[in-house]
Amino acid sequence: MKKTYTIIGLLFSLCFQYAQAQDTSVEIDPSKPTNLYTQINTLGEYNAYDGFATYGTRLNFQYAFNPDNLLLAEIPLLHNDATNRFGLSDVRVRYFNAVKRNISNTVIAIAPFADITIPTGSVENGLGSDTWSLAAGAVVGIVLNKNISLFPGVNYVYLTEPKESGFGFQTNMSLKFSKQAFVFLNPIVTMFDFDTIWQAEVNFNYIITPNKFKVNAGWFPNFTNDINTMRVGATFFL
């Protein structure tokens, strides 16, 4: 746990150093996932499994080295009501690189990414998966009109335990209701060697202070494994 707090402290330090030099004269647009910004997300999370639940907080740090490169670190601290244990769950690290922007009036970005989930949580305490998840893929940003955008993506996934691989597909739709309110609707399917996982994301966002602060609430169901995740949180742009 001490190492976890050290990592959190370092990430906070990097973000605040970046914020001192960041230009806030241009209003940012977080409704498009290929727009990369330095931010801190704090989330309250509840996961309903078949027979038990986990709940706690998920800390999400995103550091934009520049408008085209971003590093994400996600640190979940959860309690399992079946084992009555609290601690660090599996940590996630993700890297985005927007290699092309403004290709046409419709295609606004192509962003390859690498995604790693590290089995830092305890399986005995019901807080981890005991497997590494390694993924690589790309997302394309497509603007249909000023209020509707699509961010379809494809990725290759490899799991170390059980050893299997597959391909994931998503069609993330961003719907803007106003300059402040938008929602992400994202059906996700991952086809492994022996099974197929169906998931989805429904995530509503509301900007309280432009360039500084927004809130969000989301439902993240895993239909195949009968897991329902609920999250509410706040985002601080730095």
Side-chain angles (χ1 to χ4, degrees):
M1 186 66 69
K2 184 177 180 181
K3 290 182 179 179
T4 301
Y5 291 130
T6 301
I7 293 171
I8 293 173
L10 289 172
L11 288 168
F12 266 108
S13 177
L14 285 171
C15 289
F16 283 122
Q17 289 178 30
Y18 179 86
Q20 293 176 355
Q22 187 170 356
D23 180 13
T24 58
S25 60
V26 178
E27 189 169 321
I28 67 176
D29 182 7
S31 70
K32 296 179 174 58
T34 53
N35 290 347
L36 309 179
Y37 306 116
T38 295
Q39 57 190 274
I40 297 174
N41 307 301
T42 59
L43 297 162
E45 177 176 310
Y46 181 84
N47 303 288
Y49 296 83
D50 183 13
F52 70 97
T54 61
Y55 51 88
T57 186
R58 185 173 295 267
L59 305 175
N60 182 302
F61 305 90
Q62 300 184 32
Y63 181 77
F65 298 95
N66 53 50
D68 297 326
N69 291 274
L70 179 137
L71 180 67
L72 175 151
E74 194 171 88
I75 301 172
L77 300 169
L78 302 175
H79 179 272
N80 186 308
D81 66 359
T83 62
N84 199 29
R85 294 299 183 92
F86 172 82
L88 179 67
S89 188
D90 293 346
V91 169
R92 182 184 185 188
V93 179
R94 202 173 196 189
Y95 185 81
F96 279 95
N97 173 221
V99 294
K100 292 285 186 179
R101 289 194 181 276
N102 302 318
I103 299 168
S104 68
N105 292 333
T106 301
V107 182
I108 59 172
I110 298 176
F113 65 86
D115 194 342
I116 302 172
T117 299
I118 306 168
T120 49
S122 169
V123 177
E124 292 78 10
N125 294 336
L127 300 173
S129 63
D130 200 26
T131 182
W132 287 75
S133 174
L134 311 174
V139 172
V140 178
I142 301 172
V143 174
L144 300 183
N145 56 50
K146 67 177 183 178
N147 294 323
I148 303 176
S149 303
L150 296 175
F151 298 88
V154 61
N155 60 278
Y156 171 80
V157 186
Y158 175 76
L159 302 179
T160 59
E161 186 62 38
K163 292 184 179 179
E164 61 178 349
S165 60
F167 288 91
F169 303 91
Q170 68 173 39
T171 307
N172 194 3
M173 177 182 292
S174 172
L175 303 177
K176 292 184 67 173
F177 305 110
S178 67
K179 289 184 66 176
Q180 291 178 288
F182 60 93
V183 64
F184 293 123
L185 303 175
N186 189 17
I188 305 166
V189 58
T190 306
M191 296 182 291
F192 288 105
D193 295 332
F194 303 107
D195 57 359
T196 300
I197 308 297
W198 293 90
Q199 299 170 275
E201 299 178 4
V202 181
N203 189 8
F204 177 79
N205 296 259
Y206 189 84
I207 299 171
I208 304 294
T209 305
N211 288 28
K212 292 296 182 181
F213 179 62
K214 75 175 178 69
V215 293
N216 66 281
W219 174 46
F220 306 84
N222 182 320
F223 300 108
T224 301
N225 297 319
D226 194 22
I227 304 169
N228 284 281
T229 296
M230 306 295 293
R231 293 173 184 159
V232 294
T235 300
F236 303 88
F237 296 98
L238 303 176

